[in-house]
Amino acid sequence: MRPPEPPGRLVRFTRAERSIHHATALLMLVCLLTAALLYLPPLSALVGRREMVKTVHVWCGFALPVPIVLGLLSRAFRADLRRLNRFVPADWQWLRRGDRRAVRDGRGILPVGKFNAGQKLNAAFMAGAILVMLGTGEIMTFPGPWGDRWRTGSTFVHDWLFLAVLAVTAGHLWEALRDREALTGMLTGRVDSGWAARHHASWADAARGSANAGGRPAVREANAQLDEAGAGAGEAAAGPPGTPGERGPEFAKRPPGTS
């Protein structure tokens, strides 16, 4: 029998979601480290064993999409992919406003769902980068069928995209280390309800409501509908009072600033 959830904490990530994240992160870090050992002469001379480092880099690179593909078996992971793939009006506000992290009465002023706009952009960039790196890496590893232009172009894209991925990964780690509760959520799967209200207000409302309604099955059900319900309700809460029709789902789909 599963023990009851500690009071004041909300389930944010399932074990499957955390396992997918950790496996992908580990493979990505190994790819970046071995790439640095291969491309930076001081590090390459310091470590040596170039062929072994290259082999580790190639195998980890080709294995990088595997945790994500296997993760599609998880219902919670598929629901998170749908959330990450959808920009709602609150996300555009989050990008435009300088006070996006402001808190009023213990609650974020913007109705952010389970993921904010920065996390969605980071996920989209990393997904695209993995595909491009996989394609260019395949051409570099098996150059036989490819002409000079393809090989040269692939090497150019692979090298410069490595620097971009390195910068984005460093920024992602920096943000995670600055927010201990967010890091705890990814490590343990649970976060403090006050933190959730400050940073992901719409998700916190739905998660708390579903938990009160009956536990984990209700939480999963609420998570599946979170962005749709949260976007409409949160938009109305953050903006000026409107008519009942303005709080409906059609109004939530309009870009901010339109009537």
Side-chain angles (χ1 to χ4, degrees), residues 25-128:
L26 178 61
L27 290 170
M28 177 62 77
L29 290 177
V30 173
C31 285
L32 292 174
L33 176 61
T34 51
L37 295 177
L38 291 171
Y39 285 95
L40 300 178
L43 293 178
S44 183
L46 181 65
V47 176
R49 300 177 180 271
R50 186 174 181 83
E51 284 303 315
M52 186 193 73
V53 173
K54 180 181 176 182
T55 301
V56 173
H57 179 81
V58 169
W59 277 100
C60 288
F62 284 129
L64 199 51
V66 173
I68 300 173
V69 173
L70 294 177
L72 296 176
L73 297 174
S74 165
R75 179 181 177 185
F77 182 69
R78 294 198 303 272
D80 276 358
L81 288 183
R82 287 193 292 271
R83 295 188 187 96
L84 289 167
N85 198 36
R86 182 186 176 194
F87 252 63
V88 298
D91 294 322
W92 296 111
Q93 289 188 3
W94 192 92
L95 290 175
R96 286 201 303 262
R97 295 178 60 160
D99 61 343
R100 61 177 69 93
R101 299 185 189 280
V103 176
R104 185 180 302 151
D105 298 328
R107 176 187 170 86
I109 62 172
L110 293 179
V112 178
K114 187 172 184 178
F115 303 104
N116 62 41
Q119 292 167 328
K120 292 179 180 180
L121 290 177
N122 177 72
F125 171 79
M126 293 305 294

Side-chain angles (χ1 to χ4, degrees), residues 155-177:
T155 302
F156 178 83
V157 171
H158 203 85
D159 290 356
W160 281 102
L161 192 54
F162 154 67
L163 296 177
V165 171
L166 182 64
V168 172
T169 302
H172 182 65
L173 290 174
W174 170 255
E175 290 294 335
L177 293 175

